[in-house]
């Protein structure tokens, strides 16, 4: 481009040459002079005309350039978002092909445009291209640096004209697109739906941490609206004649400023969001420059022309600027409305500020609005002007809209700014009505309508963020602590723990866990170098070392010498503190080839490997193995609902059954997500899904698990027999762990071969269950609060493989089901796999031949009715009478309605287990005393009121479970019976009529578990309390004292410090000598539950409890703590769970730094007077904070405290807890 100076020189040369040609001579006449003068005027006039045309064109382009540029950027961003969405869809399809080997199941994910919308998108692309050409071309031609360059660009005149016509065409095209607002809105909505669907499916297979994030935005701290108000206040003459425009602009600026501040820190996910926010900030900046300029110019005007107060020129300029600002603000709002895109704040369920309650509307604001509306209504009674009717409705609608948004959106600053504006409008409306200023009423109505429009547009929706680590939270916590401790140990200890194995089946989340650990801030601080290495199964050792070495060293070398790679890796791992993750190590030989290079002497690095085979982990380092479990029922449902929208409905129960079929395997849940995502969850869709998940490809991970564990199970016949018991239960049945353990013990599967009295048979059996769980053969469905297994199940697909394998390798009798014969299961409820095995029969089947003598009978029945009990009783009577049940060892009738047992039950001489829980049993025949081999008698949740005295003849009885209504009215002399085998006695009710147990309880010297409910005088309780400390083997003790109305009563207790093995203590009742008793608890205690204890000096007790070294679970239930303060000043070194339920007197909760440093879960329920929590942010390991039936203010205070701590320490290495807010019935205490 030529410079202005060169243009000037060229013009001078041209004029000189013309003057030389027409220079006057002596002989020239006046005609020639006139010609010369006319030519000069013609040229000058043409130049001026051209300059004028050029000026007009440039002014037109300047006027429209920013408007077109804004529209172009938004349309271009929309196009980029479509490309991004399409790219993500390709990734999802690729992942789906890996999972399903087909993509036809994605038919519900893609949201396609119709023909008209597709044409609109193509038209948009053309308009965008032309707009970009015009705006960029204009900015290249004109930069406004000086007058000559701006208005005298004759060499570029044709180009400028072309750009001007292009702008005109572009503006027309954009105007047409604007008229088709519905298409734009619908296209964005389709894009939003596709993006949300893709995101739900993308979170798991595609790790976001692998994608670079946007650079942080600079803090936004604008006060342009306040500055404008200040300018108006100080220079009122400046805004004369603009009384309607100025308040309107100020309102827009206030709202836009607040909205931009609300968007700060928000992760913008789409290009159109980023462009819109950038344009908004530009508008604020430009407005700020305008106001600063006006402030400076008005100051200069006052200083130099203080005598004259004429602001006419400035006022004209200011009015033009305000008009331009108003136009661009309106255009910005209109684009947000037109496209309809949403700003979304994703709040993780693991985040501290999830579900943070928003500040409610102030009471004075509500009263002002209500007062204004009442005043308007009173005026309407007199004359009912239409403007008042509209204004009253507008104010009411605005108030309701803002209240509704308190719980649904996160634009807090914008909402509060709207409240202030609404409050001012209400106040102005009342003032105007008093002064009968009806014109102003119309203006206020217009402002209220516009405010309502802004509130609807300037909003941030909250959406719960999905999490790929559901069920892995404890694993992350444990592994991070373990790795940190390993990094801080000495060389000898480091060598022992420098290799850690994560073991689990395919698709269980090993790689996900490893990634999360590598990105954990604590690990980043301890291990500056972290590598995730994909291990390929190479037969060539050098190629294996080359592959691993290139990944660790982040190089690309093809060196073929073994020693070269070994030396290079050893040096690197000695010089750097590294965390090396070897992903998917499948063979022992692979580790043997890598070991020398990865574990050199003096290494300060740590190796973490993932493998499917526990044998590999045992080979690598048997002392440092971390098994992953299948997800629980609750965790599986959470993973599924992150991917599939499943609102509560009748289909939900069926959907949960389908999810249960996944066996808690995340990969299987992911497949369900692909099948159902984007579709309405109906019975028809679920039936299709059930058919799909039964295909061979779905079974592949389970087949691999079965193949991995088959050899091990064959080498462990006891475990194989334990597993066979799951065949007795219906498909997907949730089996209580205590039921399994009792059955295994009754069948003699848990033998104490080490003759260790400390290891009971129940402990051994529970260990078998944990082994099956750790090998991903059994799924933990639900866990107790102390982490132990409550219920479990045999995953459906794995169960089918097990049955198929047993059917092909064995030839059982027609009624045999297990690997050891003579086990029978009867099912009365419909079960879709009941015909799968020949061993499953109806009760009416004639399957017992003359020589058929089962060892175990288990009955399942979900029906109701007295006749059903009669059928079962008749069946048992026939079997006993025929002698077919003479060898029976296990009779399990749990949850079968049977009020009475056959009187001949005593003939089952070999019976070791009699399960009658939930049977509604009313009487127990005396002949039960003849079951001399009986070890477990389970009568819990029955209607049995008394126990026959013959029960005490059962010398081998180990476990006696009763309901709390059952009384023991008679016990024989201790010399007449032997009670050395009784380990568990629970559910006994003791009163003045049934004091027999109280007199001999100390003779039950092998008791491990004692659970009593009693209604005794203090003197009687004293005698009982003196005997309990003599039960030195006691591990679990539960005592409940009630009065005649079954309400909490005084509880007398003696010191329990001599019970060295006591681990669980539950006390319900008003303690005598309260704090003193609880200050003398054994150090072995791990779980303490107090209810109705009436501790009026609880703060004196807490230090004693805090010194219990093994205490992990502490619960204060209703009436247990009666002080208004609860201070945790220190101690509780191993406490994991703290529950505070229904503590009516508790006002203040304080946690000081250093207390409860391992706490993982805190639940506060129905503590309605609890106000200000202090120090909860000191709980650095807290993973879950449950707030149940708590006041909204308390909930908000806690959550805001965590959110504030997170803002103040954004780089903290501690993860803030998941905050779960629920409501329960008051009876839940």
């Amino acid at each position: 481009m030529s410079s202005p100076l060169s243009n000037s020189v060229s013009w001078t040369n041209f004029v000189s040459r013309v003057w030389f040609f027409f220079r006057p001579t002596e002989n020239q006449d006046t005609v020639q002079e006139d010609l010369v003068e006319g030519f000069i005027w013609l040229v000058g006039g043409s130049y001026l005309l051209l300059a004028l045309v050029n000026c007009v064109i440039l002014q037109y382009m300047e006027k429209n350039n920013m408007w077109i540029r804004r529209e172009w950027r938004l349309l271009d961003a929309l196009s980029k978002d479509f490309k991004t969405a399409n790219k993500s869809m390709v990734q999802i399809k690729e992942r789906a092909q890996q999972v399903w080997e087909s993509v036809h199941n994605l038919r519900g994910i893609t949201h396609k445009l119709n023909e008209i919308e597709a044409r609109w998108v193509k038209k948009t692309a053309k308009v965008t291209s032309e707009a970009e050409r015009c705006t960029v071309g204009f900015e290249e031609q004109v930069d406004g640096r000086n007058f000559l360059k701006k208005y005298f660009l004759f060499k570029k005149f044709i180009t400028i004209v072309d750009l001007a016509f292009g702008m005109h065409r572009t503006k027309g095209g954009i105007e047409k697109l604007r008229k088709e607002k519905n298409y734009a809105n619908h296209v964005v909505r389709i894009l939003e739906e596709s993006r949300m669907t893709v995101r739900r499916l993308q979170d798991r297979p595609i790790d976001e941490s692998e994608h670079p994030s946007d650079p942080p935005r600079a803090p936004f701290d604008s006060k342009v609206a306040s500055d404008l108000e200040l300018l108006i206040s100080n220079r009122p003459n400046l805004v004369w004649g603009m009384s309607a425009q100025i308040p309107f602009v100020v309102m827009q600026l206030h709202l836009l400023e607040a909205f931009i501040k609300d968007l700060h820190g928000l992760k913008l996910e789409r290009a159109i969001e980023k462009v819109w926010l950038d344009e908004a900030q530009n508008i604020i900046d430009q407005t700020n420059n305008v106001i600063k300029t006006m402030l400076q110019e008005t100051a200069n005007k006052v200083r130099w022309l203080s005598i004259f107060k004429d602001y006419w020129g400035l006022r004209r300029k200011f009015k033009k600027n305000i008009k331009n600002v108003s136009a661009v603000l309106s255009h910005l709002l209109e684009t947000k409305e037109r496209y309809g895109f949403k700003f979304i704040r994703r709040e993780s369920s693991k985040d501290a500020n999830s579900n943070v309650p928003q500040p409610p509307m102030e009471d004075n604001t509500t009263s002002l609005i209500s007062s204004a509306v009442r005043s308007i209504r009173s005026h309407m009674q007199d004359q009912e002007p239409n403007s008042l009717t509209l204004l009253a409705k507008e104010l009411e609608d605005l108030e309701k809209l803002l209240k509704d948004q308190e719980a649904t959106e996160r634009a807090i600053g914008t909402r509060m700014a709207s409240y202030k504006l609404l409050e001012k409008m209400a106040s102005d409306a009342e003032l105007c009505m008093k002064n009968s200023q009806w014109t102003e009423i119309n203006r206020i109505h217009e402002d209220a309508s516009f405010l309502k429009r802004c509130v609807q547009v300037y909003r941030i929706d909250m959406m719960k963020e999905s999490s790929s680590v559901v069920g892995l939270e404890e694993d992350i916590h444990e592994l991070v602590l373990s790795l940190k401790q390993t990094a801080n140990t000495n060389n000898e200890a480091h060598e022992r723990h420098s290799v850690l194995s994560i073991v689990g089946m395919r698709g269980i989340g090993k790689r996900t866990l490893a990634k999360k650990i590598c990105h954990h801030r604590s690990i980043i601080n301890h291990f500056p170098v972290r590598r995730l290495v994909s291990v390929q199964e190479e037969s060539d050792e050098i190629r294996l070392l080359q592959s691993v070495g290139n990944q660790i060293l982040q190089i690309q070398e093809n060196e073929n010498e073994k020693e070269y790679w070994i030396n290079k890796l050893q040096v690197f791992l000695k010089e750097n503190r590294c965390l090396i993750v070897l992903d998917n190590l499948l063979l022992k030989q692979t580790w043997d080839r890598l070991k020398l290079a990865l574990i050199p002497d003096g290494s300060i690095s740590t190796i973490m490997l993932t493998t499917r085979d526990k044998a590999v982990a045992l080979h690598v380092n048997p002392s440092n193995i971390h098994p992953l479990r299948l997800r629980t029922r609750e965790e599986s449902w959470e993973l599924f609902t992150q991917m599939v929208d499943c609102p509560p409905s009748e289909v939900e129960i069926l959907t949960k059954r389908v999810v249960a079929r996944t066996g808690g395997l995340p990969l299987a849940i992911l497949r369900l997500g692909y099948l159902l995502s984007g579709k309405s969850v109906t019975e028809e869709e679920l039936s299709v899904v059930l058919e799909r998940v039964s295909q061979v490809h779905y079974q592949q991970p389970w087949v691999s698990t079965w193949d991995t564990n088959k050899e091990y199970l064959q080498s462990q016949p006891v475990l194989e027999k334990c597993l066979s018991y799951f065949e007795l239960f219906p498909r997907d049945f949730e089996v209580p762990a205590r039921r399994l353990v009792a059955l295994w013990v009754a069948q003699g599967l848990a033998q104490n071969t080490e003759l260790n009295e400390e290891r009971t048979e129940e402990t051994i059996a529970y260990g078998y269950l944990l082994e099956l769980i750790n090998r991903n053969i059994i799924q933990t469905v639900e866990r107790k609060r102390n982490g132990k297994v409550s219920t479990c199940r045999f995953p459906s697909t794995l169960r089918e493989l097990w049955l198929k394998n047993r059917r092909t390798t064995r030839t059982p009798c027609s009624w045999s089901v297990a690997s050891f014969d003579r086990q029978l299961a009867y099912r009365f409820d419909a079960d879709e796999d009941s015909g799968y095995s020949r061993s499953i029969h109806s009760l009416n089947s004639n399957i017992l031949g003359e020589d058929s003598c089962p060892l175990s009978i288990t009955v399942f029945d979900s029906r109701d009715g007295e006749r059903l009990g009669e059928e079962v009783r008749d069946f048992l009577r026939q079997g006993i009478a025929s002698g077919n049940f003479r060898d029976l060892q296990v009779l399990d009738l749990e949850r079968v309605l049977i009020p009475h047992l056959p009187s001949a039950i005593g003939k089952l001489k070999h019976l070791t287990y009699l399960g009658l829980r939930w049977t509604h049993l009313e009487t127990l025949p005396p002949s039960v005393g003849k079951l001399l081999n009986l070890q477990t008698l389970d009568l819990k949740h029955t209607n049995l009121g008394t126990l026959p005295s013959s029960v005490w003849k059962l010398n081998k009885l180990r476990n006696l479970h009763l309901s709390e209504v059952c009384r023991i009215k008679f016990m024989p002399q201790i010399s007449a019976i032997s009670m050395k085998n009784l380990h568990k006695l629970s559910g006994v009710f003791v009163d003045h009529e049934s004091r027999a147990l109280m007199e001999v309880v100390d003779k039950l010297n092998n008791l491990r578990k004692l659970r009593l409910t009693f209604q005794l005088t203090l003197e009687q309780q004293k005698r009982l309390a003196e005997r309990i400390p003599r039960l030195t083997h006691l591990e679990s003790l539960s005592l409940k004292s009630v009065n005649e109305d079954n309400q909490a009563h005084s509880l007398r207790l003696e010191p329990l410090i001599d019970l060295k093995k006591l681990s669980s203590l539950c006390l319900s009742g008003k303690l005598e000598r309260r704090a003193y008793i609880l200050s003398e608890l054994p150090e072995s205690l791990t779980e303490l539950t107090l209810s109705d204890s009436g501790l009026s000096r609880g703060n004196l007790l807490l230090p004693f409890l805090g010194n219990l070294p093994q205490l992990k679970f502490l619960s204060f239930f209703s009436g247990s703590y009666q002080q208004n303060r609860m201070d945790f000043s220190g101690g509780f070194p191993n406490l994991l769970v703290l529950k505070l339920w229904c503590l009516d007197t508790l006002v203040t909760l304080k946690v000081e730094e250093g207390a409860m440093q391992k706490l993982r879960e805190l639940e506060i329920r129905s503590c309605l007077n609890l106000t200000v929590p202090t120090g909860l942010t000191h709980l650095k390991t807290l993973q879950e904070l449950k707030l149940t039936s708590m006041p909204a203010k308390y909930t908000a205070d806690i959550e805001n405290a965590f959110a504030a701590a997170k803002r103040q320490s954004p780089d903290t290495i501690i993860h803030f807890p998941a905050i779960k807010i629920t409501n329960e019935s008051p009876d839940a205490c």
Side-chain angles (χ1 to χ4, degrees), residues 371-651:
S371 174
V373 171
R374 284 196 301 271
S375 180
I376 292 171
R377 299 288 187 200
S378 64
H379 281 79
M380 289 167 54
Q381 292 176 1
D382 299 333
Q383 47 192 354
E384 294 191 5
N386 187 51
S387 58
L388 289 182
T389 305
L390 296 175
L391 179 58
K393 185 177 185 307
E394 205 69 62
L395 292 177
E396 288 176 331
D397 290 348
L398 254 175
E399 182 184 14
K400 183 178 183 302
L401 178 62
L402 290 171
K403 281 185 176 180
D404 291 343
Q405 287 187 354
E406 287 179 14
T408 58
E409 62 99 13
R410 290 297 183 265
I412 304 172
T414 307
R415 186 164 53 83
M416 299 311 293
S418 301
Y419 276 145
K420 291 180 180 179
L421 291 170
L422 180 59
E423 180 181 343
K424 185 177 184 304
M425 289 178 190
S427 178
D428 290 346
E430 281 202 282
L431 185 62
C432 290
M433 283 185 294
K434 289 179 182 178
N435 300 327
S436 300
Q437 296 175 326
W438 305 116
T439 304
E440 283 297 303
I441 288 293
N442 292 332
R443 182 189 63 79
I444 294 173
H445 171 249
E446 292 175 0
D447 288 349
S449 299
F450 184 80
L451 177 59
K452 180 180 177 182
R453 180 185 169 197
C454 291
V455 169
Q456 292 171 331
V457 174
Y458 293 157
R459 56 178 294 152
I460 301 174
D461 290 343
M462 188 278 290
M463 185 167 293
K464 184 178 179 181
E465 180 65 286
S466 57
S467 171
S468 59
V469 297
V470 173
L472 295 177
E473 297 86 358
E474 291 183 8
D475 300 279
I476 293 173
H477 179 76
E478 292 176 10
L479 288 174
V480 167
L481 286 179
S482 176
L483 290 170
K484 286 168 59 180
Q485 292 171 358
T486 301
N488 295 329
T489 54
N490 55 39
N491 289 338
E492 184 178 352
H494 184 270
E495 289 178 6
R496 291 198 308 269
H497 301 284
S498 61
V499 182
L500 183 152
S501 300
I502 301 174
V503 183
M505 66 182 292
R506 177 192 166 198
I508 203 169
K510 301 183 297 296
R511 183 179 175 87
T512 299
L513 176 60
K515 281 185 177 182
K516 291 295 180 181
I517 290 172
C518 287
H519 289 98
H520 196 284
R521 289 191 178 95
S522 290
I523 297 302
I524 293 173
N525 289 345
H526 280 78
F527 297 96
V529 179
R530 300 162 309 283
R531 300 285 188 266
L532 182 61
V533 179
S534 178
V535 179
Q536 305 296 327
E537 296 306 321
E538 291 282 358
S539 58
D540 189 300
E541 184 176 2
I542 294 178
R543 290 181 63 183
L544 176 64
L545 286 168
Q546 185 184 98
S547 171
V548 172
N550 279 324
Q551 293 181 70
I552 292 176
L553 302 173
Q554 294 189 336
I555 58 176
Q556 292 294 327
E557 292 187 9
N558 297 318
E559 183 62 45
N560 291 322
E561 289 188 13
K562 174 182 174 180
E563 294 301 322
Y564 171 83
W565 287 109
I566 291 177
N567 293 333
K568 195 157 189 171
L569 284 170
Q570 286 182 345
V571 171
F572 183 79
L573 296 175
K574 287 180 181 179
E575 294 178 350
N576 300 277
R577 187 179 293 278
C578 309
L579 175 62
I580 307 299
V581 179
L582 302 179
D583 185 42
N584 200 27
L585 188 70
L586 299 180
L587 300 175
K588 299 175 184 178
Q589 297 88 332
T590 303
W591 171 251
D592 293 336
R593 292 169 179 170
L594 295 172
K595 182 177 180 180
L596 182 61
L598 298 181
I599 312 182
D601 293 336
S603 172
I604 58 174
S605 298
T606 300
I607 309 298
M608 183 168 66
L609 61 90
T610 69
T611 181
R612 302 175 191 173
D613 193 347
K614 188 175 181 180
V616 173
L618 290 168
H619 175 73
V620 173
N621 186 359
S623 64
N624 207 0
I625 299 175
H626 186 90
L628 293 187
R629 59 172 175 79
L630 297 166
R631 305 301 186 266
T632 65
R633 181 205 314 119
E634 182 181 353
E635 292 163 350
S636 299
W637 182 250
E638 184 177 350
L639 272 173
F640 176 76
T641 52
Q642 285 180 1
M643 304 174 68
V644 179
D645 185 20
C646 188
S649 63
E650 296 178 357
V651 186

Side-chain angles (χ1 to χ4, degrees), residues 757 979-984 1002-1009 1031-1034:
E757 293 183 0
M979 299 182 181
K980 63 180 182 179
N981 291 313
L982 193 60
H983 285 185
K984 295 181 181 179
D1002 56 328
K1003 304 302 181 181
L1004 307 175
N1005 49 23
N1006 271 318
L1007 271 184
R1008 265 69 171 177
K1009 178 178 180 180
L1031 302 173
T1032 55
H1033 287 88
L1034 209 59

Side-chain angles (χ1 to χ4, degrees), residues 222-390:
S222 171
K223 298 180 180 179
V224 63
S226 301
D227 291 342
L228 181 56
E229 288 179 319
L230 180 64
L231 176 63
I232 296 168
S233 175
N234 294 339
R235 303 287 186 268
N237 292 335
L238 193 64
V239 297
W240 184 81
M242 290 182 280
S243 58
Q245 291 179 337
I246 293 296
F248 185 70
V249 171
V250 169
M251 178 173 64
Q252 291 187 79
L253 290 173
H254 271 302
L255 293 172
L256 185 58
E257 274 186 319
F259 189 54
I260 294 175
K261 289 178 182 177
D262 285 333
L263 292 175
H264 180 71
L266 189 70
K267 183 178 179 181
L268 304 182
E269 301 176 352
R270 293 180 296 175
I272 195 169
E273 297 170 2
K274 298 172 185 177
V275 168
W276 190 91
L277 178 58
D278 185 53
E279 289 293 334
Q281 289 178 317
N282 289 339
I283 290 172
I284 292 294
D285 292 340
Q286 292 169 9
T287 305
N288 194 36
N289 292 334
V290 167
I291 293 173
K292 287 182 178 178
T293 301
M294 294 307 301
L295 284 171
Q296 183 63 39
E297 289 185 2
T298 53
N300 293 336
K301 178 70 105 175
V302 171
R303 185 165 60 250
W304 296 107
L305 298 174
S306 56
I307 301 175
F308 304 100
K309 299 297 181 182
D310 182 12
Y311 284 93
W312 180 84
L314 286 178
R315 188 162 55 241
R316 184 171 178 272
K317 182 178 179 180
F318 184 65
K319 184 175 183 179
K320 179 181 177 182
N321 289 332
I322 289 297
K323 183 178 179 182
N324 290 337
V325 169
S326 179
V328 295
L329 288 171
S330 297
H331 182 227
L332 188 72
L333 180 68
E334 186 269 334
T335 57
K336 179 75 169 60
E337 275 183 317
R338 187 189 338 144
Y339 292 108
F341 58 88
K342 298 177 181 178
F343 288 98
I344 296 175
R345 183 182 298 278
R346 299 189 179 277
E347 296 181 345
S348 173
S349 60
K350 313 301 173 191
D351 204 354
N353 56 345
S354 300
N355 303 317
V356 176
Q358 305 305 315
M361 185 187 296
E362 297 293 337
D363 293 337
N364 59 342
T365 301
T366 304
S367 61
L368 274 171
I369 298 170
S370 301
S371 174
V373 171
R374 284 196 301 271
S375 180
I376 292 171
R377 299 288 187 200
S378 64
H379 281 79
M380 289 167 54
Q381 292 176 1
D382 299 333
Q383 47 192 354
E384 294 191 5
N386 187 51
S387 58
L388 289 182
T389 305
L390 296 175

Side-chain angles (χ1 to χ4, degrees), residues 1025-1195:
E1026 290 172 348
R1027 288 172 167 79
I1028 289 177
R1030 301 172 191 170
L1031 302 173
T1032 55
H1033 287 88
L1034 209 59
E1035 297 173 358
S1036 176
L1037 175 63
S1038 176
L1039 300 175
K1040 182 178 181 181
S1041 177
V1042 297
N1043 59 19
E1044 293 80 359
D1045 298 324
N1046 205 33
Q1047 299 298 313
H1049 190 52
S1050 296
L1051 173 62
R1052 180 68 180 268
L1053 193 67
E1054 292 296 321
L1056 303 173
I1057 195 167
D1058 292 332
L1059 298 179
K1060 303 299 183 181
K1061 298 179 181 179
L1062 189 67
S1063 62
S1064 176
L1065 177 62
C1066 179
L1067 302 175
S1068 177
K1070 300 175 182 178
L1071 289 173
E1072 296 291 326
R1073 301 164 64 195
R1074 299 175 180 87
Y1076 166 70
I1077 294 299
L1078 295 178
S1079 66
E1080 296 187 354
L1081 296 175
E1083 291 187 352
S1084 58
L1085 199 66
T1086 61
E1087 184 174 1
L1088 176 62
T1089 302
L1090 300 176
S1091 179
D1092 294 308
S1093 305
L1095 299 174
S1096 58
R1097 304 177 68 185
N1099 260 344
L1100 296 178
L1101 169 66
L1102 290 179
F1104 291 104
L1105 298 181
N1107 290 328
L1108 293 174
Q1110 302 301 322
L1111 190 63
K1112 296 180 179 180
F1113 309 95
L1114 177 60
S1115 301
F1116 289 99
F1117 289 165
S1118 176
S1120 62
Y1121 193 94
Q1122 293 189 340
Q1123 274 194 278
N1124 60 1
R1125 291 183 61 88
M1126 183 175 284
D1127 296 331
F1128 291 91
S1129 56
F1132 300 95
N1134 288 296
L1135 192 66
L1136 301 178
V1137 177
L1138 174 63
K1139 294 181 181 290
L1140 308 176
W1141 285 18
C1142 305
L1143 304 180
D1144 296 333
T1145 61
L1146 188 61
V1147 177
T1148 304
L1149 174 64
K1150 182 179 181 181
V1151 179
E1152 296 185 6
E1153 192 166 2
M1156 301 185 290
Q1157 287 303 288
K1158 290 186 179 180
L1159 194 70
R1160 295 184 188 178
E1161 179 184 329
L1162 170 62
E1163 181 177 4
I1164 303 174
R1165 174 183 296 207
S1166 297
C1167 297
L1168 302 180
N1169 294 313
L1170 193 55
T1171 54
V1172 181
T1174 305
L1176 290 184
T1177 54
H1178 294 151
L1179 303 174
K1180 303 302 183 182
T1181 59
L1182 192 62
Q1183 295 178 7
E1184 185 172 79
L1185 174 59
K1186 295 181 180 178
L1187 302 175
T1188 305
S1189 302
M1190 289 297 294
K1193 186 179 186 304
Y1194 180 81
T1195 301

Side-chain angles (χ1 to χ4, degrees), residues 880-897:
I880 295 172
S882 65
N884 287 326
F885 291 171
R886 61 181 178 270
D887 294 333
L888 196 65
Q889 296 176 356
V890 172
L891 179 58
D892 190 352
L893 304 176
E894 186 167 325
R895 291 190 178 274
V896 176
L897 180 61

